Amino acid sequence: MNKGRVIIFSVLLTCCFLTNSVGAKSVGKDTYRMCKNDIFIDYDQLNCKKIVSEIKDDGCFVAVDLGDWLREKNIYDISVIEDNENEGYKRIFYERNPEREEADEFYNSKDTSYIYFEGLVYEGDVISYTDSLIETVTEVRFDGSFYTQVEPQTSFFSSETEEALKGRN
């Protein structure tokens, strides 16, 4: 195998491992339905990972930030490792707890996708985003436990630009 083919093969293999597919169910040719627990990236919110928490009767769904959902469901043992008020950030550790992962409450209907906790997040994933804070995965351990950093969200606009945008609404 020549060097070019090895590089291309390596890139394709890496893409396979880093892709986080949505578990949407096929309901016909090229037609899919979202399911509870499907995970996707919200490109409008700084690429924040979301999880579908509710499917409505009209086919619409409610999705929440993955970090908020993990804290609400108490699936991981979560602890603050470092709280640096001077620099304005926190370092948090999410330790996997396999006993809580298998709870029936996560898989309570036929339109519910299985959650693969081993590959739930990757380094660099944004799991919680607000106008003032952003939580980003900084390290993932072999067992699926992971570290995050919560930092103040900086604005991309100057204060004058933000005021002008507010005036348009």
Side-chain angles (χ1 to χ4, degrees):
M1 217 183 236
N2 67 24
K3 187 176 181 179
R5 286 185 180 173
V6 170
I7 291 172
I8 291 172
F9 178 76
S10 298
V11 169
L12 290 174
L13 187 62
T14 302
C15 287
C16 289
F17 285 112
L18 294 179
T19 302
N20 188 11
S21 61
V22 171
K25 293 186 179 176
S26 175
V27 294
K29 184 178 182 196
D30 299 329
T31 305
Y32 296 87
R33 178 179 71 238
M34 292 294 282
C35 299
K36 185 177 174 189
N37 295 344
D38 281 346
I39 296 172
F40 64 95
I41 295 174
D42 184 347
Y43 295 104
D44 292 334
Q45 280 200 334
L46 205 62
N47 300 335
C48 184
K49 271 194 170 177
K50 303 276 189 173
I51 186 165
V52 176
S53 60
E54 177 186 348
I55 304 290
K56 297 186 176 194
D57 293 335
D58 63 358
C60 294
F61 59 90
V62 176
V64 296
D65 291 355
L66 182 60
D68 297 342
W69 186 84
L70 291 172
R71 285 186 290 280
E72 176 190 318
K73 297 297 182 184
N74 198 29
I75 299 170
Y76 284 71
D77 294 323
I78 302 172
S79 52
V80 175
I81 302 300
E82 181 181 358
D83 189 353
N84 189 330
E85 292 180 14
N86 294 333
E87 298 290 323
Y89 72 89
K90 285 184 186 180
R91 186 162 160 82
I92 300 173
F93 180 56
Y94 289 74
E95 185 175 14
R96 270 189 73 198
N97 188 331
E99 292 173 3
R100 293 186 198 152
E101 293 172 9
E102 297 303 322
D104 289 337
E105 69 180 279
F106 304 123
Y107 311 107
N108 58 1
S109 73
K110 66 177 182 171
D111 289 334
T112 302
S113 295
Y114 183 78
I115 302 171
Y116 297 96
F117 289 97
E118 296 84 13
L120 186 63
V121 295
Y122 299 98
E123 189 175 323
D125 283 349
V126 174
I127 63 167
S128 190
Y129 173 84
T130 66
D131 289 340
S132 59
L133 295 173
I134 184 169
E135 183 174 9
T136 307
V137 177
T138 57
E139 180 183 338
V140 181
R141 297 172 71 186
F142 69 93
D143 67 348
S145 298
F146 59 94
Y147 293 88
T148 66
Q149 186 161 314
V150 180
E151 302 175 286
Q153 173 62 22
T154 56
S155 175
F156 295 109
F157 303 110
S158 67
S159 58
E160 295 85 20
T161 304
E162 286 182 359
E163 289 301 317
L165 289 173
K166 286 180 186 176
R168 288 184 172 174
N169 294 335

